Amino acid sequence: RAGSLAKSMGYEAYVVGGFVRDLILGRPNLDLDLVVEGDGILFAEAMARELGGRVKSHHKFQTAAVLLHDGNRVDVATARLEYYEYPAALPTVELSSIKMDLYRRDFTINALAIHLSPERFGRLVDFFDAQRDLKDRMIRVLHSLSFVEDPTRILRAIRFEQRFHFKIGAQTERLIRNAIANQFVHKLSGPRVFHEMRHIMEDDRPLASIRRMDELKLLAAIHPDLALDPRKDEVLAEAERVITWYALLYVEPKPEVWRIYFLGLCAGMEDDQVQGVARRLGFSKHLEESFLALRHSIRNTAQQIFEWDYRRGLHSELYFLLKDLPLEGVLYLMARNPKETVQRSISLFLTTLRTLRVELAGADLKAMGLPPGPRYAQILRAVTAAMLDGKATCRAEQMALAK
Ligand code: ATP
């Protein structure tokens, strides 16, 4: 329908980028990016009218997002007809606008498009041999200034290489090493680097990407204290194992996994070093403080967890030790202490204790005639402890205990 709609407006529309790449690779991708040769915003508005939805547009960039009533989202960009002026007074060349649009992208594999117009529907547009690179499993840039133009592409190259088990092409890798050696990464703003790092850490198995970043000296280029050492590597490997294990439990809530990897990257650092890294990456004051606070609570809990006796310890002790630590901190503690009993203790907390709920609430205490006050919290805590330690397993026993 988008193709016919575009045609009725005298435009040509294409689906582009990651969606096309993943279609060829046979991987699911629900992010639909369209490029329109014409007015992208007008097209997005017409699409929203026809399919039911609303439009958020950015006039400066001539882009729009169509937010459909069914919850789906389609991003629309405008490809303008461009005149490409060669230096040395060669003639100005008019390039087809879709070609120019694709030429500005990061890698060949992301520079594919599919025609949507009714006459050419489904036909692949491949100016840069992307199909060959997909077949050869290669990440290649479109031109040699690509990383100078935008050094965040270095992080993207690593992410795609590891995610798809591709290989960064030899020439592309040389360009990456050059860009890093020539300090192009220093020019990047903190939030842009952090955005891409977060993306990497939220991909399925980020350890390989983190190691690749280190091998290319990218971590050190972002901030000297970020470079890996054997201890960090070990913690990060264990973190990946713990996160994969936790994901298999299918329990809520889901952790913000980047925080766990980031704790690993900061393993062994002093607070002022962590602050330095946080500032380089443009953390907000709030994020910096919450990250430092998380590290402190982990440190405070670590020793006690280490000492808690897995065989004889009271479950309530374990519960109260861990209950206020954010999930990311609990998982990190597990990664940081590969000692088997520590891992078992934390696993017991996560799989069993954390989800237990006392069946008694403040209202019950009130109904028993107890005046509201700080004693409520103490009573509920005692009842929780008894329940966790198997001393008050049903509501009646809990009520009796409360009395
Ligand atoms: P993912 O599956 O991680 O979302 P994606 O390829 O869809 O991968 P996006 O970040 O959503 O990645 O970008 C969409 C498209 O925009 C890419 O396929 C690429 O063509 C282009 N793109 C994104 N970032 C850049 C960049 N820094 N430089 C050039 N092109 C980019």
Side-chain angles (χ1 to χ4, degrees), residues 246-395:
Y246 184 80
L248 288 174
L249 295 177
Y250 295 108
V251 287
E252 293 293 333
K254 303 257 174 284
E256 282 193 68
V257 294
W258 75 265
R259 287 181 198 264
I260 306 173
Y261 290 112
F262 215 80
L263 285 163
L265 276 178
C266 295
M269 284 189 201
E270 300 296 333
D271 278 357
D272 59 344
Q273 290 175 292
V274 177
Q275 261 165 348
V277 170
R279 289 189 188 153
R280 164 62 185 110
L281 295 177
F283 279 25
S284 64
K285 203 78 211 130
H286 174 74
L287 184 57
E288 180 184 318
E289 277 164 12
S290 78
F291 188 72
L292 282 168
L294 179 60
R295 268 172 47 106
H296 292 168
S297 8
I298 291 168
R299 211 173 297 154
N300 293 338
T301 319
Q303 189 56 31
Q304 300 173 66
I305 284 291
F306 202 74
E307 285 164 4
W308 188 77
D309 186 334
Y310 179 71
R311 263 170 281 280
R312 283 182 292 273
L314 285 177
H315 284 185
S316 57
E317 276 173 21
L318 179 65
Y319 174 82
F320 288 116
L321 264 178
L322 291 176
K323 91 177 193 15
D324 294 326
L325 190 62
L327 177 59
E328 292 81 9
V330 177
L331 292 170
Y332 183 72
L333 256 185
M334 201 167 175
R336 194 189 113 138
N337 287 293
K339 200 178 128 191
E340 201 194 331
T341 51
V342 172
Q343 298 221 339
R344 283 205 194 165
S345 309
I346 297 178
S347 161
L348 169 71
F349 169 76
L350 286 171
T351 55
T352 318
L353 309 185
R354 187 181 49 147
T355 46
L356 286 187
R357 289 280 165 269
V358 224
E359 289 165 50
L360 225 56
D364 296 305
L365 302 184
K366 203 166 173 192
M368 284 181 205
L370 272 166
R375 270 185 53 76
Y376 272 30
Q378 288 165 6
I379 294 173
L380 289 175
R381 187 181 161 104
V383 173
T384 306
M387 188 188 70
L388 289 164
D389 297 335
K391 292 181 197 146
T393 44
C394 63
R395 190 177 151 85

Side-chain angles (χ1 to χ4, degrees), residues 17-18 21 104-106 110 150 153 156 159-160 163:
R21 174 198 72 215
R104 273 200 226 95
R105 288 169 188 265
D106 45 6
N110 288 338
D150 179 359
R153 291 176 186 161
R156 294 175 60 84
R159 176 156 63 90
F160 292 126
R163 184 200 288 173

Side-chain angles (χ1 to χ4, degrees), residues 97-364:
S97 40
I98 185 69
K99 183 166 184 179
M100 218 31 221
D101 180 283
L102 296 173
Y103 187 65
R104 273 200 226 95
R105 288 169 188 265
D106 45 6
F107 310 112
T108 57
I109 60 164
N110 288 338
L112 282 163
I114 295 177
H115 276 283
L116 292 179
S117 66
E119 297 83 26
R120 276 173 273 190
F121 187 85
R123 203 182 290 170
L124 195 63
V125 180
D126 181 4
F127 294 111
F128 312 107
D129 268 345
Q131 291 172 92
R132 189 196 59 198
D133 287 343
L134 280 172
K135 198 164 132 288
D136 298 345
R137 311 177 75 76
M138 282 295 184
I139 308 288
R140 278 192 233 277
V141 282
L142 294 155
H143 57 85
S144 57
L145 289 179
S146 193
F147 297 118
V148 178
E149 239 170 58
D150 179 359
T152 60
R153 291 176 186 161
I154 302 174
L155 287 111
R156 294 175 60 84
I158 294 170
R159 176 156 63 90
F160 292 126
E161 180 187 54
Q162 301 306 323
R163 184 200 288 173
F164 301 135
H165 304 292
F166 277 28
K167 187 90 195 87
I168 295 176
Q171 171 64 3
T172 299
E173 184 165 328
R174 264 193 295 280
L175 296 169
I176 289 180
R177 289 188 188 275
N178 262 332
I180 293 173
N182 288 314
Q183 309 203 327
F184 284 111
V185 176
H186 296 216
K187 300 195 180 99
L188 279 175
S189 74
R192 288 200 70 205
V193 180
F194 180 52
H195 178 81
E196 289 299 336
M197 279 186 82
R198 228 179 120 152
H199 247 310
I200 286 183
M201 293 190 268
E202 275 161 0
D203 247 4
D204 257 355
R205 288 189 170 264
L207 181 63
S209 294
I210 296 175
R211 286 184 175 150
R212 185 80 157 121
M213 285 170 78
D214 193 56
E215 185 233 321
L216 292 166
K217 303 200 169 45
L218 176 58
L219 282 176
I222 294 171
H223 191 289
D225 288 336
L226 280 177
L228 290 189
D229 57 31
R231 167 78 181 132
K232 285 189 197 177
D233 191 274
E234 188 187 334
V235 174
L236 287 165
E238 202 54 34
E240 190 174 271
R241 211 182 57 74
V242 166
I243 290 166
T244 313
W245 164 80
Y246 184 80
L248 288 174
L249 295 177
Y250 295 108
V251 287
E252 293 293 333
K254 303 257 174 284
E256 282 193 68
V257 294
W258 75 265
R259 287 181 198 264
I260 306 173
Y261 290 112
F262 215 80
L263 285 163
L265 276 178
C266 295
M269 284 189 201
E270 300 296 333
D271 278 357
D272 59 344
Q273 290 175 292
V274 177
Q275 261 165 348
V277 170
R279 289 189 188 153
R280 164 62 185 110
L281 295 177
F283 279 25
S284 64
K285 203 78 211 130
H286 174 74
L287 184 57
E288 180 184 318
E289 277 164 12
S290 78
F291 188 72
L292 282 168
L294 179 60
R295 268 172 47 106
H296 292 168
S297 8
I298 291 168
R299 211 173 297 154
N300 293 338
T301 319
Q303 189 56 31
Q304 300 173 66
I305 284 291
F306 202 74
E307 285 164 4
W308 188 77
D309 186 334
Y310 179 71
R311 263 170 281 280
R312 283 182 292 273
L314 285 177
H315 284 185
S316 57
E317 276 173 21
L318 179 65
Y319 174 82
F320 288 116
L321 264 178
L322 291 176
K323 91 177 193 15
D324 294 326
L325 190 62
L327 177 59
E328 292 81 9
V330 177
L331 292 170
Y332 183 72
L333 256 185
M334 201 167 175
R336 194 189 113 138
N337 287 293
K339 200 178 128 191
E340 201 194 331
T341 51
V342 172
Q343 298 221 339
R344 283 205 194 165
S345 309
I346 297 178
S347 161
L348 169 71
F349 169 76
L350 286 171
T351 55
T352 318
L353 309 185
R354 187 181 49 147
T355 46
L356 286 187
R357 289 280 165 269
V358 224
E359 289 165 50
L360 225 56
D364 296 305

